[in-house]
Amino acid sequence: MSLPDETAGDPGVRSETFIYGRVCEPHGGHPIQLRLERYVSLDDDVRLGKAVIMVHGGAWTSNDRHSPHVVCCNLAEAGFSVFSLDFRDGRDGKHPCAVRDITAGIRYVRARAEQFGIDADGIALIGSSSGGHLALLTAIQPDVPEYRGTSTAIAGGDDLSASVGCVVALWPVSNPERRLRHAIETGRDELVQAHFRYYRDEAHMRDASVQRRLRAGEAQSVPPLLVVQPGEDANVPRDMTLDLVREYQEAGGTVHYLFYPGLRHGFAYEASTATTRLLEEIRWFIKRYTHPERALR
């Protein structure tokens, strides 16, 4: 179902809203939306036919599909079809409700690949901050029963895989328990409170650690990963990200690691020279692992 068009900012970018899923429990039938952005003036040779699923951040308790607009619009201008998801979070549920919604979003996009003009096997997943954590959990365990429960808004969608071709994790909160300790140590009470809105307790956070699941051999897949760490990130300790890189490689995954000295957490949510440079890297990475013949453009 397509809802009325929204203004995308750049006149060349067309934006549409779709209902991609419905929550089965506990709100029976509650619709969940996504925002599709794509550049309408590109010809078929330039349009990549590749989908990017966008997962916003917000400490598992805030923001929505509109929040990562700078990144979405840039990728749309480059020829990607960008699907930015709404999903449940600490405002209306507990882990793993967000991942259940995200996997349903991927299945919905895959089920409608022909209508959207995309390659069902060329889906990339991007998440930032807490969204980076959710994207990583989705990427390594796309089809586990734990992440079922949100139905896709299209016949047959629930039978498809939620696997992705690659994943981009921007300053991800990959280990919620470790970040909780960091928030307590640095006096970030708002982050501490956000943790306990989305997780029941510290054991729940520990179980949701991407590193723990990789070490335990629970990953179904380890798609190529691009992970980004700002040098002045007050929300994500650098040692946590380096631990993620190590565990991902130990699990057999290919990792590209980018470090941006002097930059703060979430810098790419605003236009800047650094954001432009990062987006060039992201575009190259996605093309490299979903469309290799265009990676060197």
Side-chain angles (χ1 to χ4, degrees):
M1 176 181 177
S2 176
L3 302 177
D5 289 2
E6 300 171 349
T7 300
D10 186 316
V13 175
R14 181 183 179 187
S15 177
E16 298 176 88
T17 298
F18 296 86
I19 293 174
Y20 75 80
R22 295 188 180 276
V23 177
C24 301
E25 296 290 345
H27 304 297
H30 176 70
I32 316 172
Q33 298 179 351
L34 62 77
R35 173 186 173 105
L36 166 61
E37 293 190 33
R38 50 187 169 180
Y39 212 68
V40 296
S41 62
L42 296 178
D43 59 32
D44 290 339
D45 181 60
V46 178
R47 189 179 302 284
L48 298 175
K50 298 297 180 182
V52 174
I53 308 290
M54 186 70 62
V55 182
H56 68 78
W60 305 286
T61 56
S62 64
N63 293 333
D64 60 23
R65 64 186 184 275
H66 303 282
S67 303
H69 174 64
V70 170
V71 177
C72 293
C73 188
N74 178 279
L75 294 175
E77 290 173 354
F80 296 98
S81 296
V82 187
F83 301 82
S84 187
L85 305 182
D86 276 345
F87 48 86
R88 289 171 297 159
D89 55 28
R91 292 169 288 191
D92 45 22
K94 296 288 187 183
H95 175 73
C97 65
V99 187
R100 288 174 176 165
D101 295 348
I102 293 163
T103 57
I106 296 170
R107 293 186 175 101
Y108 172 84
V109 171
R110 176 162 282 129
R112 295 199 58 186
E114 184 175 353
Q115 296 99 311
F116 287 134
I118 60 171
D119 179 1
D121 296 321
I123 296 175
L125 182 63
I126 301 180
S128 60
S129 192
S130 59
H133 167 254
L134 300 173
L136 285 163
L137 286 181
T138 301
I140 66 171
Q141 296 183 296
D143 298 315
V144 295
E146 177 185 1
Y147 297 154
R148 295 279 184 172
T150 300
S151 61
T152 58
I154 185 170
D158 294 344
D159 298 327
L160 300 178
S161 173
S163 61
V164 295
C166 63
V167 57
V168 177
L170 307 174
W171 36 94
V173 188
S174 54
N175 183 337
E177 184 188 29
R178 168 70 181 90
R179 210 283 288 274
L180 175 67
R181 295 198 303 271
H182 175 75
I184 293 172
E185 292 164 1
T186 56
R188 299 290 301 279
D189 290 342
E190 78 282 6
L191 293 181
V192 173
Q193 293 171 14
H195 275 258
F196 287 104
R197 282 199 293 271
Y198 186 61
Y199 299 99
R200 293 189 301 270
D201 49 35
E202 292 184 44
H204 199 200
M205 299 176 205
R206 188 178 313 123
D207 179 67
S209 165
V210 178
Q211 289 89 320
R212 186 205 66 75
R213 295 193 176 204
L214 290 167
R215 280 194 298 271
E218 297 175 4
Q220 294 176 316
S221 63
V222 280
L225 166 65
L226 171 64
V227 61
V228 178
Q229 176 72 33
E232 300 301 320
D233 195 325
N235 290 15
V236 175
R238 196 180 310 174
D239 69 285
M240 184 173 73
T241 301
L242 293 176
D243 183 45
L244 168 67
V245 170
R246 180 171 54 252
E247 293 296 342
Y248 209 88
Q249 290 176 320
E250 288 284 349
T254 296
V255 180
H256 294 247
Y257 173 72
L258 293 178
F259 179 70
Y260 282 76
L263 294 178
R264 59 181 175 76
H265 185 84
F267 70 87
Y269 272 32
E270 299 176 357
S272 69
T273 300
T275 296
T276 297
R277 182 158 52 98
L278 172 60
L279 290 170
E280 289 174 353
E281 296 279 6
I282 292 173
R283 293 196 305 267
W284 176 88
F285 175 81
I286 296 175
K287 290 180 184 179
R288 169 67 179 83
Y289 289 104
T290 65
H291 213 146
E293 69 274 17
R294 300 196 185 192
L296 299 179
R297 281 191 175 186

